[in-house]
Structures are given as structure tokens and as C-alpha cells.
Amino acid sequence: MIEIYFAPASVAVLFARIILGILFFFQGYEKIFKIKIHNVIIAIAPSYKKLKFPDFLVSLTAYTTSFIELIGGFLLIAGLFRYEAYYLLGIDLLIVSIGFSLINSMWDMQYILPRLLLLILLLLLPTELDIYSIDSLIGCRS
């Protein structure tokens, strides 16, 4: 009989990484496939137009952040290129935070704070704990 041992700390990292991946993946999925990025742009453009932001910058940011969230979330769920995904998603959170702050300096952090806390936790934990991933299976330490 083969005995499988799951180290609690490694399982905790796995859960945190997958939950963070799910949060970002479905956020990107929603914006790209359900709402459609064009409609996202239509919804946010008036606020940025008041600030005299160029339309192309609003569109570029909406497309970029949506695809980073979708792809980065998928990579975290799979456990592939984890640290590259963490860094891109961290940049995504910075961009979104700046965008929200420009529109309203007292914005509700309910959407960003859980993602930010999970991201910081995963970046601070030792890489050796994240053993349940494709990166670990193929011997790649991302």
C-alpha cells in the first residue's frame, strides 16, 4: 500500500494559490467573455474622460489588466510560472489601485484587499512549500 503524506504547510500554500488563481481567473473571464471588454471600457471611460485621460490609454489598460487576470489566474491554478504570475498580478493590482484612486480617493477595497493579502502571503512564504504544482513536477523552480 502506498502512503501519501500531505504536509499541512504545503497544502495551505496550495489552497491559497488556487484560491487567488480562481479570484483572478474568473475576474478576467467575466470581463473578457461575459461582460466583454468593450462594455467595460464604455462603463469606465466617462470617469477617466473627466480626468482628461486619452481613450487609447483607458482601452489599453482595460485589455491588459483583463488578460493578465485571466492568464495569471490560470497559471496560478495550474501552478505554472507561479512567480511570474505573482509579479504580473501584483502589477495589475497596482494599476487597478491607481485607477480607482484617480476616480475616487476613498474607494472600497473589498475587491483588492483579499487578492493583495493572498498575493503578499504567497510571495513571502518559502518557495519550497509550494510543492503541489506543475512547476514542481517538471523540476522548475519559478
Side-chain angles (χ1 to χ4, degrees), residues 3-125:
E3 192 172 319
I4 298 174
Y5 175 72
F6 291 102
S10 293
V11 173
V13 171
L14 173 68
F15 288 161
R17 180 173 42 80
I18 290 175
I19 288 170
L20 182 62
I22 288 169
L23 290 172
F24 275 112
F25 176 82
F26 283 104
Q27 181 175 319
Y29 180 86
E30 184 89 10
K31 289 194 295 188
I32 294 169
F33 298 109
K34 286 191 170 183
I35 298 171
K36 307 287 185 200
I37 298 177
H38 176 72
N39 293 326
V40 171
I41 294 167
I42 289 170
I44 64 172
S47 298
Y48 291 104
K49 203 173 273 283
K50 290 178 189 173
L51 298 171
K52 306 220 187 311
F53 266 74
D55 291 338
F56 84 90
L57 190 57
V58 173
S59 296
L60 178 67
T61 304
Y63 276 97
T64 303
T65 57
S66 298
F67 280 99
I68 286 173
E69 292 159 3
L70 180 76
I71 296 166
F74 173 78
L75 291 173
L76 291 185
I77 292 166
L80 189 59
F81 303 114
R82 295 161 295 170
Y83 282 87
E84 291 82 353
Y86 292 150
Y87 301 144
L88 284 173
L89 292 168
I91 292 167
D92 176 79
L93 287 175
L94 286 172
I95 292 168
V96 171
S97 296
I98 291 168
F100 283 165
S101 295
L102 287 170
I103 293 171
N104 180 4
S105 61
M106 296 296 289
W107 50 277
D108 187 353
M109 289 191 60
Q110 73 176 343
Y111 300 109
I112 290 189
L113 191 59
R115 290 164 177 79
L116 178 62
L117 292 176
L118 282 171
L119 180 65
I120 290 170
L121 170 73
L122 288 162
L123 284 169
L124 289 175
L125 289 171

